[in-house]
């Protein structure tokens, strides 16, 4: 029962999605019978299932919802803006109720009450009697069951009597009669009897001899050839006799059955509901799989990738000629491994649709809360991305959407004055670009008020008043911790969570976020994300004899530092001059405790790392070895969290390498030593 | 042999949850020969290969609804006499009237308890 219940809630998610889709289609202006029907059916099915599990809150709400939709379906209710709005709210409440029922949390009628009242208003307006007429005059009609039909042979056209006597060679060649008997059962119901007449007493038994035979009665529609096919592989290894029993005719008249097709003219059932749609949509076949199993598969594929890399390295070391078949075979293996890896990652991938649907709710609620008219347009909902990424994207995206509604879009009056439609538009789109998924959030609002942002940043002491910043640099100030331009903290978005938190969340997913804005035209946020969290594009480096991997997404640039670029800043701090800026230089080896700080870093390789607050820091390493994809292996289960270390991987030579979390490492380091790094943004743009 | 050992039933519903619940209830009554189908067309195809005594079908299904399935069954020579039990969301007079005209044997309104289902089945085929 618990299993069916769990599957009910999964099914509910699908139905809620179909409901949202249908409503969106209606909002876009299409409300043909099939769309309304789909919407109705979704609510109806949820109600039906909920009734079976005694989820009363859900049933009673779904009932009102369904009744209103039924009125729409019957044409007694006209679909206006108000009705559609109520339906959207109804879908939101329904989705809350489903979640509450699933998690066993109590239902708060405060949220659903007004919507329920609105639905009842619609029903009242449609003058539909939602209650069923219980006094239905219907007498069940008995059918005369031909109980002989119940016999095993009922459905079959033929009854076969089969005598199967394996020879000793059948066993000797590794065949197993049981498998054959089971295969027979696939053809139809069987009655099997083992004949043990030839079985000698135990002391006379020769274990190498075959003594058993079977009599099988098989009722099957299959022909004799199909039965012989079962025994194809033991042909000559057994005695096989097959007789068809003519005395037992098939009880069910079969000829018409195969010709049975759905009625060509569904109109004949008018009154029974809407006619079948001309092109019934066949849902794509799917399998529900436990996420653990997929993760195990992902993990194993990771192992294959590692193993394959190690194999490649050994082959390399063996010094085989370039045209050796081993090499070319390995090349193909490499290609296959990549394909398998991609395919497995795709299993974890999900369309962003569910995420976007949640956002449309956020837009509805946020715009209602502050009285702005906002319309969300979505695009690329079928774009797929790792399930975990989708889940962890919900919070930052919610925040950004609220910001867009609250700060991005102007009030209706201001929009009218600017010659824009009163209703503000927010565009949310997803697409693939160069191996990553890009999510773009655009509004057609006023754009960023750069003067205001600049003043705010100065007030907060984030930049100096005389700093000269480019437009892009000013826009990026929004990502500084604690930055908020809202004049008054609104109930909606100004909750102390700034864009810096959004940026940190995106970066934790291996993503990047950027901002572009045009005065009067609107603002666009672009989030670029990796397709999967299981592999990482990394740079392999060495420091103090250790090999480490640094995520490529964190590295702005790499360079070899010269003496001329180095500046000492106090006794323990080094800075490097980088295009008219000073960037603090950290010794990665020293920070990780591999060595004591060097006296001179001239000649070191340097990785320039971009930080959350828009500043940069540099890491000194010994050499940069390679750039490659590595499989991420978590460490926290076994070792707990180590500052500066994100995970580990296994390189091609079998060596374990730690994957660095450079941002964490830098914050830890700068927090511990001196505020040099924090000084940098203030120096930005000042003449050096 | 009691009827429950011999009767063959197909459960047609687009929600796997509903199919599961009905199948489970049937199992509880001791009915073992049960097949399921997620929609009308696949139910018809299954019945063609595996004739049944009774069809238990949901009303609201995409593509072909329960009454359309009933109509299709009554139009086929081999399936004309099959028992048909319609599960409806609510006892809608129009649905019941149409069902009656098409030769529906019984109907059952949701939500229902296993005992109700048993009663509805027994009203069509006799004591299980």
């Amino acid at each position: 029962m618990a299993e069916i219940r769990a599957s009910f809630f999964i099914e509910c998610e699908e139905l809620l999605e179909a409901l949202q889709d249908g409503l969106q289609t209606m909002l876009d202006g299409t409300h043909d019978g099939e769309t309304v029907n789909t919407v109705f059916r979704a609510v109806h099915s949820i109600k039906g299932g909920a009734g079976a599990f005694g989820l009363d809150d859900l049933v009673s709400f779904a009932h009102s919802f369904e009744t209103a939709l039924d009125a729409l379906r019957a044409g007694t209710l006209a679909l206006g803006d108000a009705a559609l709005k109520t339906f959207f709210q109804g879908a939101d409440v329904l989705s809350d109720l489903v979640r509450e029922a699933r998690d066993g949390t109590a239902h708060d009628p405060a949220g659903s009450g007004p919507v329920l009242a609105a639905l009842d208003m619609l029903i009242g307006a449609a003058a539909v009697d939602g209650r069923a007429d219980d006094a239905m005059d219907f007498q069940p009609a008995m059918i005369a069951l031909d109980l002989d039909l119940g016999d095993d042979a009922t459905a079959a056209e033929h009854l076969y009597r089969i005598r199967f006597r394996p020879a000793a060679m059948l066993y000797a060649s590794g065949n197993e009669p049981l498998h054959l008997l089971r295969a027979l059962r696939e053809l139809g119901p069987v009655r099997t009897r083992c004949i043990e007449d030839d079985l000698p007493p135990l002391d006379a038994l020769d274990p190498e001899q075959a003594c058993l035979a079977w009599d099988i009665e098989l009722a099957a529609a299959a022909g004799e050839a199909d039965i012989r096919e079962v025994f194809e592989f033991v042909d000559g290894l057994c005695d096989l006799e097959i007789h068809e029993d003519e005395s037992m005719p098939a009880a069910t008249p079969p000829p018409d059955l195969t010709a049975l097709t759905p009625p060509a003219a569904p109109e004949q059932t008018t009154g029974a509901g809407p006619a079948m749609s001309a092109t019934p949509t066949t849902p794509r076949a799917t399998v529900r799989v436990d996420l653990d199993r997929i993760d195990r598969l992902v993990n194993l594929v990771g192992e294959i990738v590692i193993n394959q890399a190690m194999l490649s390295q050994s082959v390399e070391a063996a010094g085989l000629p370039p045209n050796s078949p081993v090499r070319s075979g390995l090349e193909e293996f490499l290609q296959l491994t990549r394909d398998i890896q991609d395919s497995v990652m795709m299993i974890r991938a999900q369309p962003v649709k569910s995420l976007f649907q949640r956002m449309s709710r956020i837009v509805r609620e946020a715009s209602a809360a502050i009285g702005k008219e906002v319309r969300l347009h979505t695009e690329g909902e079928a774009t797929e991305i790792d399930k975990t990424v989708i889940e962890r994207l919900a919070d930052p995206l919610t925040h950004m959407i609220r910001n867009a509604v609250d700060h991005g879009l102007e009030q209706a009056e201001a929009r009218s004055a600017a010659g824009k439609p009163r209703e503000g538009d927010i565009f949310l789109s997803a697409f693939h670009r160069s191996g990553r998924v890009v999510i773009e959030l655009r509004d057609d609002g006023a754009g960023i008020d750069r003067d205001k942002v600049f003043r705010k940043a100065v007030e907060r002491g984030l930049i100096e008043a005389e700093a000269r910043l480019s437009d892009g640099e000013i826009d990026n100030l929004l990502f500084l911790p604690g930055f908020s331009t809202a004049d008054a903290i609104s109930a909606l978005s100004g909750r102390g969570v700034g864009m810096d938190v959004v940026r940190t969340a995106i970066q934790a997913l291996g993503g990047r976020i950027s901002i572009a804005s045009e005065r009067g035209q609107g603002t666009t946020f672009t989030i670029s994300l990796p397709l999967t969290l299981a592999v990482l594009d990394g740079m392999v480096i060495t420091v103090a004899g250790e090999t480490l991997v640094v995520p490529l997404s964190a590295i702005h640039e790499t360079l070899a530092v010269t003496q001329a670029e180095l500046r000492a800043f106090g006794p323990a701090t080094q800075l490097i001059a980088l295009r008219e800026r000073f960037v603090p230089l950290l010794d990665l080896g020293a920070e990780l405790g591999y060595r004591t700080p060097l006296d001179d870093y001239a000649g070191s390789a340097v990785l320039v790392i971009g930080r959350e607050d828009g500043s940069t820091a540099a890491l000194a390493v010994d050499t940069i070895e390679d750039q490659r994809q590595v499989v991420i292996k978590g460490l926290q289960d076994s070792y707990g969290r180590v500052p500066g270390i994100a995970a580990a991987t296994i390189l091609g030579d079998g060596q374990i390498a730690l994957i660095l979390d450079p941002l964490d490492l830098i914050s830890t380091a700068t927090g511990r030593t001196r505020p040099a790094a924090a000084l940098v943004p203030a120096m930005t743009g000042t003449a050096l | 042999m009691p009827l429950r050992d011999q009767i063959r039933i197909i459960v047609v519903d687009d929600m796997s949850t509903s199919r599961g619940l009905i199948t489970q209830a049937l199992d509880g009554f001791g009915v073992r020969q049960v097949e399921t189908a997620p929609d009308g067309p696949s139910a018809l195809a299954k019945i063609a290969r595996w004739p049944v005594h009774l069809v238990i079908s949901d009303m609201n299904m995409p593509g072909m609804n329960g009454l359309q399935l009933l109509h299709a069954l009554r139009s086929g020579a081999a399936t004309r006499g099959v028992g048909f039990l319609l599960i409806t969301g609510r006892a809608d007079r129009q649905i019941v009237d149409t069902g009656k005209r098409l030769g529906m044997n019984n109907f059952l309104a949701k939500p229902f308890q296993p005992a109700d289902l048993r009663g509805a089945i027994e009203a069509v085929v006799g004591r299980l």
Side-chain angles (χ1 to χ4, degrees):
Chain A
M1 195 69 170
E3 223 167 76
I4 299 182
R5 194 182 149 100
S7 112
F8 166 66
F9 287 116
I10 294 173
E11 215 148 19
C12 276
E13 292 298 327
E14 289 163 10
L15 291 166
L16 287 168
E17 196 177 307
L19 174 61
Q20 283 283 354
D21 269 354
L23 290 174
Q24 191 61 46
T25 311
M26 281 153 79
L27 181 68
D28 295 340
T30 327
H31 29 77
D32 54 51
E34 192 48 37
T35 308
V36 177
N37 215 13
T38 306
V39 168
F40 172 83
R41 208 162 40 228
V43 178
H44 180 82
S45 295
I46 291 175
K47 182 185 116 172
F53 297 106
L55 306 168
D56 296 337
D57 285 337
L58 189 50
V59 172
S60 72
F61 183 82
H63 179 76
S64 291
F65 198 173
E66 174 196 81
T67 310
L69 287 168
D70 200 25
L72 182 68
R73 202 164 67 144
T76 52
L77 173 71
L79 184 69
D81 285 352
L84 198 50
K85 192 172 158 218
T86 305
F87 289 153
F88 267 111
Q89 288 170 336
D92 293 344
V93 171
L94 197 65
S95 131
D96 288 344
L97 282 164
V98 165
R99 247 154 244 153
E100 282 161 3
R102 183 189 60 202
D103 305 340
T105 45
H107 172 61
D108 178 14
S112 63
V115 182
L116 197 59
L119 283 171
D120 286 340
M121 284 274 290
L122 289 180
I123 299 166
V128 163
D129 177 15
R131 287 282 110 201
D133 185 357
D134 288 328
M136 204 73 64
D137 104 69
F138 185 86
Q139 287 299 316
M142 286 285 285
I143 54 166
L145 279 186
D146 181 357
L147 281 185
D148 284 343
L149 295 190
D151 191 85
D152 271 345
T154 337
E157 281 99 322
H158 314 282
L159 178 71
Y160 296 98
R161 295 191 195 285
I162 304 163
R163 166 67 63 92
F164 168 51
R165 180 180 291 279
M169 262 314 285
L170 184 140
Y171 297 101
S173 57
N175 284 291
E176 167 62 75
L178 181 63
H179 296 157
L180 299 168
L181 295 175
R182 281 190 182 145
L184 272 184
R185 200 170 58 187
E186 299 283 306
L187 295 175
V190 291
R191 211 172 280 155
T192 310
R193 192 172 68 87
C194 181
I195 305 162
E196 48 198 68
D197 302 349
D198 295 344
L199 200 63
L202 194 57
D203 51 1
L205 185 72
D206 176 358
E208 302 272 313
Q209 284 308 308
C211 313
L212 297 175
W214 284 269
D215 268 344
I216 304 135
E217 278 178 32
L218 167 68
E224 190 177 321
D226 296 313
I227 300 172
R228 293 220 174 260
E229 201 183 322
V230 171
F231 295 95
E232 196 181 353
F233 290 103
V234 292
D235 193 26
L237 302 175
C238 65
D239 288 335
L240 185 66
E241 292 166 38
I242 302 175
H243 299 289
E244 189 177 341
D245 192 336
E246 307 288 350
S247 67
M248 176 112 191
T252 316
D256 291 303
L257 288 179
T258 45
L260 188 68
T261 44
E267 286 77 19
Q268 287 172 1
T269 60
T270 36
M276 254 190 283
S277 104
T279 47
T281 47
T282 37
R284 275 197 282 176
T286 52
V287 181
R288 290 195 189 116
V289 184
D290 194 18
L291 201 55
D292 285 347
R293 290 196 195 177
I294 294 176
D295 286 344
R296 187 176 144 72
L297 191 62
V298 170
N299 209 18
L300 283 173
V301 171
E303 296 292 333
I304 292 185
V305 172
I306 290 166
N307 219 289
Q308 192 264 335
M310 288 161 74
L311 194 58
S312 298
Q313 205 137 357
S314 320
V315 167
E316 201 63 42
L320 293 169
N323 57 352
S324 102
V326 174
R327 274 179 188 265
S328 58
L330 197 64
E331 201 58 43
E332 276 168 40
F333 180 41
L334 184 89
Q335 192 53 48
L336 278 174
T337 314
R338 287 225 180 94
D339 290 351
I340 291 178
Q341 195 178 15
D342 289 347
S343 308
V344 169
M345 294 313 172
M346 285 314 289
I347 300 180
R348 278 193 59 96
Q350 283 192 327
V352 295
K353 187 173 176 180
S354 60
L355 181 69
F356 280 16
Q357 283 192 342
R358 280 169 74 178
M359 293 310 128
S360 80
R361 176 175 185 176
I362 303 292
V363 168
R364 280 198 299 280
E365 289 177 349
S367 54
I370 56 167
K372 283 185 189 171
E373 295 164 37
V374 185
R375 179 104 183 246
L376 178 72
H377 307 262
T378 55
E379 205 183 311
E381 294 181 318
T383 310
E384 293 191 330
I385 189 166
D386 189 279
K387 185 178 161 63
T388 312
V389 176
I390 288 186
E391 281 162 5
R392 285 164 57 186
L393 213 50
D395 282 347
L397 206 52
T398 300
H399 185 76
M400 290 166 68
I401 294 254
R402 286 203 177 119
N403 264 339
V405 174
D406 199 4
H407 309 310
L409 295 172
E410 318 89 324
Q411 291 290 348
E413 295 71 35
R415 290 183 63 89
S416 298
K420 293 182 190 175
R422 287 176 65 87
E423 191 179 57
D425 286 320
I426 293 182
F427 300 86
L428 185 59
S429 52
F431 50 92
H432 286 276
R433 188 161 64 198
S434 50
R436 292 171 78 87
V437 174
V438 178
I439 293 180
E440 210 172 72
L441 177 68
R442 180 162 68 86
D443 64 57
D444 71 339
I448 293 172
D449 184 342
R450 298 203 171 95
D451 295 339
K452 193 166 151 191
V453 169
F454 188 85
R455 279 200 311 275
K456 210 84 181 178
V458 174
E459 268 171 41
R460 305 262 155 113
L462 297 166
I463 51 170
E464 284 174 4
E466 57 271 21
R468 288 196 312 270
L469 299 181
S470 70
D471 286 355
E473 282 171 323
I474 297 180
D475 293 348
N476 273 300
L477 291 172
L478 291 182
F479 292 116
L480 291 185
F483 191 94
S484 170
T485 55
D487 293 325
I489 289 188
S490 73
L492 194 59
S493 52
R495 287 179 191 157
V497 185
M499 286 301 292
D500 62 313
V501 178
V502 169
R503 171 133 110 178
T504 311
I506 302 288
Q507 281 176 337
L509 293 170
R512 297 186 287 264
I513 182 167
S514 63
I515 185 171
S517 179
E518 199 166 333
R519 205 67 209 272
Q521 303 294 311
T523 308
T524 306
F525 286 94
T526 308
I527 300 172
S528 144
L529 294 155
L531 286 172
T532 166
L533 298 178
V535 288
L536 172 107
D537 281 314
M539 191 170 273
V540 181
I541 54 108
T542 61
V543 66
E546 299 287 335
T547 305
L548 295 157
V549 177
V550 185
L552 215 49
S553 60
I555 302 175
H556 275 194
E557 60 183 303
T558 58
L559 48 114
V561 72
T562 59
Q563 188 62 55
E565 290 161 335
L566 284 165
R567 303 270 193 290
F569 184 82
T573 303
Q574 294 270 346
L575 297 178
I576 57 170
L578 185 66
R579 283 189 295 278
E580 306 191 342
R581 288 190 197 191
F582 281 120
V583 173
L585 181 70
L586 300 170
D587 178 348
L588 184 60
E591 293 300 335
L592 292 174
Y594 293 152
R595 67 180 177 203
T596 51
L598 305 181
D599 294 331
D600 184 8
Y601 289 98
S604 291
V606 165
L607 312 177
V608 181
I609 308 289
R611 301 182 62 194
E612 290 103 326
D613 58 5
S615 67
T616 47
L619 292 178
V621 303
D622 292 345
T623 53
I624 293 171
E625 297 276 324
D626 192 7
Q627 187 180 314
R628 70 171 75 151
Q629 274 205 340
V630 297
V631 178
I632 301 172
K633 297 264 153 196
L635 281 175
Q636 299 200 6
D637 289 347
S638 321
Y639 300 99
R641 208 188 93 83
V642 183
I645 302 298
T649 190
I650 304 170
L651 298 174
D653 55 3
Q655 198 186 157
I656 308 255
L658 295 174
I659 300 174
L660 211 61
D661 179 348
L663 300 175
D664 187 44
L665 182 96
I666 292 168
S667 337
T668 318
T670 52
R672 193 177 60 231
T673 52
R674 68 271 110 180
L679 272 174
V680 173
M683 298 196 292
T684 306
T686 50
L688 289 168
Chain B
M1 252 204 289
L3 181 60
R4 61 173 176 272
D5 286 335
Q6 301 167 64
I7 191 167
R8 284 185 179 188
I9 299 179
I10 188 163
V11 177
V12 192
D13 198 309
D14 59 318
M15 278 188 83
S16 68
T17 317
S18 306
R19 292 197 300 274
L21 286 169
I22 295 174
T23 312
Q24 203 171 51
L26 291 172
D27 199 58
F29 310 151
V31 177
R32 298 282 179 260
Q33 302 195 67
V34 179
E35 272 288 341
T36 62
D39 54 56
S42 59
L44 289 169
K46 255 191 185 155
I47 296 170
R49 287 196 309 271
W50 193 78
V52 298
H53 300 109
L54 180 65
V55 177
I56 299 179
S57 170
D58 187 35
M59 173 61 202
N60 264 288
M61 292 185 290
M64 182 190 247
N65 70 28
L67 290 177
Q68 286 164 340
L69 172 62
L70 172 61
H71 178 77
L73 288 166
R74 293 291 179 252
S75 318
T79 52
R80 189 165 291 147
V82 70
F84 191 89
L85 170 57
L86 185 72
I87 309 276
T88 62
R90 54 166 197 254
D92 185 300
R93 177 179 293 279
Q94 204 183 24
I95 292 176
V96 173
D97 285 349
T98 312
K100 204 155 96 177
R101 214 174 57 237
L102 290 172
M104 169 172 89
N105 295 88
N106 204 354
F107 76 93
L108 188 59
K110 285 193 257 190
F112 54 83
Q113 292 300 314
D116 305 327
L117 178 65
R118 186 181 188 127
I121 294 173
E122 290 188 335
V124 177
V125 298
R127 207 176 143 69
L128 284 175

